[in-house]
């Protein structure tokens, strides 16, 4: 509830739902939450530079019957950290202040994820992935970055995998799948309409589809075989925050470690051989040549 309340304030700022005075109230609260929480109504109005009725009207527009209810919701949001989006960073902030807010926000998001992650759902996903014959990571846009990162990690554990980020290639990939193949879809919003035909095709061919997303109540979530929710505190309808990708990348790390442990020594031995091959070719004192390159000798 508190997470959505902060997002609601940010969305109200962007949508132009507030008067000039009400906007100043919300901007002040987001920029200085500690001060806004402790000031009585009269002093809060003075600090913002508006009238007391303006503060109360702002509270009502945000769904609060009183300033006290507004503060209760804000107190819950403060416990996990306020989103440090553009709306919450005052114009004129120093580089150090901006850096601190962005980093604090990232830490708050990851702590929120740690406390909210569904352990049972995570275990089900690990079991499905560990038993896969091949893995297929799908993602469009920013989610494609996460899919590529997953592709880079999972071959180390002995599971052949590919990553597709183009909608047409994803659909072609889906049409070629069969039982034993596993699809992992990354979609922060869960509302990627171009992904839905591919999800349906993969499932029709017998391949389970795992969705990693911010919400379990979305069109893609309803069509997936298994859903792992990674809630974040920002509003991605307005922004494209890095934190949604950071959270997803952490989930990829968690899955790769869990799958490696589940698969046992087989995965560890393959990873050891791969690492030895990489070191042999790319170490600093190795000959300056790439594998497979023809010799200059005749």
């Amino acid at each position: 509830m508190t997470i959505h309340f902060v997002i609601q304030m940010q969305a109200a700022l962007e949508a132009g739902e507030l008067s000039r005075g009400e906007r100043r109230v919300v901007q002040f609260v987001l920029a200085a939450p500690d001060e806004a929480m402790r000031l009585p109504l009269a002093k809060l109005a003075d600090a913002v530079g508006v009238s007391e009725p303006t503060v109360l009207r702002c509270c009502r527009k945000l769904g609060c019957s009183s300033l006290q209810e507004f503060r209760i919701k804000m107190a819950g949001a403060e416990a996990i950290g306020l989103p440090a989006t553009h709306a919450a960073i005052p114009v004129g902030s120093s580089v150090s202040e901006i850096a601190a807010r962005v980093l604090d926000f990232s830490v708050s998001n990851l702590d929120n994820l740690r406390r909210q992650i569904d352990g049972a759902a995570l275990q089900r996903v690990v079991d499905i992935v560990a038993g896969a014959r091949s893995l297929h990571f799908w993602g469009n846009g920013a989610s494609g970055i996460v899919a590529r990162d997953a592709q880079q990690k999972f071959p180390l554990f002995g599971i052949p995998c590919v990553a597709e980020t183009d909608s047409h290639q994803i659909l072609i990939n889906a049409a070629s799948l069969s039982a034993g193949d596993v699809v992992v879809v990354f979609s922060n919003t869960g509302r990627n309409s171009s992904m839905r035909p591919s999800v349906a095709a993969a499932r029709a061919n017998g391949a389970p589809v795992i969705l990693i997303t911010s919400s379990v109540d979305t069109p893609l979530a309803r069509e997936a075989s298994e859903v792992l929710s990674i809630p974040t505190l920002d509003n991605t309808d307005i922004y494209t925050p890095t934190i949604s990708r950071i959270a997803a990348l952490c989930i990829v790390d968690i899955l790769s470690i869990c799958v490696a442990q589940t698969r046992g020594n087989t995965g560890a031995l393959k990873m050891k051989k791969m690492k030895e091959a990489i070191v042999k070719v790319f170490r600093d004192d190795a000959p300056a040549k790439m594998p497979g390159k023809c010799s200059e000798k005749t």
Side-chain angles (χ1 to χ4, degrees):
M1 181 66 179
T2 54
I3 295 171
H4 296 298
F5 182 60
V6 174
I7 292 174
Q8 179 186 347
M9 285 194 290
Q10 294 172 335
L13 283 173
E14 295 292 327
E17 299 173 356
L18 306 174
S19 68
R20 181 181 299 179
E22 292 162 354
R23 287 177 59 85
R24 291 174 65 179
V25 173
V26 171
Q27 289 169 341
F28 181 87
V29 170
L30 291 173
D34 292 336
E35 188 175 358
M37 288 288 293
R38 63 178 174 79
L39 289 177
L41 175 59
K43 290 188 176 181
L44 176 59
D46 287 342
V48 177
V50 299
S51 66
E52 293 179 29
T54 297
V55 175
L56 296 176
R57 280 197 302 271
C58 180
C59 293
R60 287 193 292 271
K61 279 195 177 180
L62 294 170
C64 301
S65 60
S66 65
L67 180 60
Q68 180 64 21
E69 183 181 353
F70 181 89
R71 283 175 170 157
I72 289 172
K73 291 184 178 181
M74 284 300 302
E78 270 224 282
I80 55 175
L82 287 174
T85 58
H86 298 80
I89 300 177
V91 175
S93 297
S94 68
V95 171
S96 296
E97 290 170 340
I98 293 172
R101 283 179 178 269
V102 171
L103 293 172
D104 286 346
F105 178 51
S106 297
V107 171
S108 296
N109 266 277
L110 292 178
D111 181 61
N112 178 63
L113 175 60
R114 180 182 62 82
R115 290 184 287 108
Q116 293 199 43
I117 193 167
D118 185 339
L122 182 60
Q123 183 63 62
R124 292 194 297 271
V125 169
V126 169
D127 292 341
I128 294 171
V129 172
R133 177 181 61 200
S134 66
L135 284 171
H136 302 259
F137 298 107
W138 298 348
N140 293 139
S143 295
I145 298 171
V146 184
R148 292 294 187 193
D149 182 77
Q151 180 195 32
Q152 184 267 335
K153 287 184 173 67
F154 273 87
L156 297 176
F157 307 118
I159 304 177
C161 63
V162 297
E164 299 291 355
T165 59
D166 176 80
S167 295
H168 291 88
Q169 288 299 123
I170 288 172
L171 187 56
I172 292 170
N173 184 218
S176 67
L177 299 178
S178 60
D181 301 319
V182 173
V183 174
V184 180
V185 177
F186 297 96
S187 174
N188 187 59
T189 65
R191 298 192 298 270
N192 185 344
S193 59
S194 66
M195 193 70 74
R196 294 177 66 183
S198 299
V199 170
R203 294 201 64 183
N205 287 335
V209 177
I210 298 165
L211 175 66
I212 298 179
T213 184
S214 62
S215 173
V216 297
D217 186 24
T218 62
L220 274 179
R222 288 188 284 272
E223 295 179 9
S225 311
E226 188 64 57
V227 179
L228 182 59
S229 175
I230 49 171
T232 57
L233 307 182
D234 229 333
N235 185 353
T236 53
D237 289 334
I238 300 175
Y239 305 103
T240 306
T242 305
I243 188 58
S244 62
R245 295 192 295 280
I246 293 175
L249 290 169
C250 285
I251 292 296
V252 170
D253 282 345
I254 292 168
L255 289 177
S256 63
I257 294 170
C258 291
V259 169
Q261 292 186 353
T262 300
R263 291 174 69 88
N265 290 334
T266 301
L269 289 173
K270 288 185 177 181
M271 183 167 63
K272 182 175 181 293
K273 289 181 179 179
M274 290 181 188
K275 289 290 187 181
E276 288 174 346
I278 291 171
V279 169
K280 183 177 180 180
V281 174
F282 295 105
R283 67 186 182 187
D284 291 341
D285 58 345
K289 65 178 182 179
M290 297 295 290
K293 186 175 180 179
C294 296
S295 171
E296 297 294 331
K297 294 181 179 180
T298 58

